[in-house]
Amino acid sequence: MIKKIIKALYNLLGLPYYAIINLLKGIIMGIKNTYKGFSISIKWSWRNFKKIIKKVPSILKVLVKWFIDAIKESIAQIFTLLGFFIAWFTLTGTAQDIVGIAIVVSIIIWLLTIRLRD
C-alpha cells in the first residue's frame, strides 16, 4: 500500500516535471524551425535582390530613353497641348473639372504608349 502511494505521488509530482520538459522541448523545436524558415527566406530574398540589382542599369537605360522620347513628343505636339489648355481654360464649373481630368488622363496614356506608336 505504501509503495502504491509513493508511486502515485511520484507519478503525480513527476507529471509537472515531464510537462515542463516537453513544453521546453516544443519551444526549442519551434524556435529552431522559425530560425530555419527565417534564414531560408532571407537567403531567398537576398538572391532575388541581387538579381534585381543586376537589372537596374538596363531599367534605368530604358527609363532615360523613354523620358527623352516623351520630351521630344511633347515638343512636337506643343500646339495640340496648347489647344487642350485653352479649351480647358475657357470652361467653367463641372465641365472644366471633367475636361481637365480627361486631358490629364489622355496625356498620360499618350506618353505611356510612345513605344507602341514607334
Side-chain angles (χ1 to χ4, degrees), residues 8-55:
L9 284 175
Y10 174 76
N11 288 339
L12 182 65
L13 294 176
L15 178 66
Y17 169 77
Y18 290 118
I20 290 174
I21 291 297
N22 287 330
L23 178 68
L24 291 175
K25 285 180 183 177
I27 290 172
I28 290 171
M29 189 184 323
I31 290 171
K32 284 180 181 178
N33 288 339
T34 302
Y35 174 75
K36 184 178 178 181
F38 182 72
S39 65
I40 288 171
S41 66
I42 292 294
K43 287 176 185 176
W44 181 83
S45 299
W46 181 250
R47 190 171 41 244
N48 287 327
F49 180 72
K50 287 193 291 188
K51 288 179 184 177
I52 291 171
I53 292 298
K54 288 179 183 177
K55 293 180 181 182

Side-chain angles (χ1 to χ4, degrees), residues 58-68:
S58 62
I59 292 171
L60 285 176
K61 186 177 178 181
V62 168
L63 286 175
V64 166
K65 185 167 177 21
W66 175 84
F67 187 70
I68 291 170

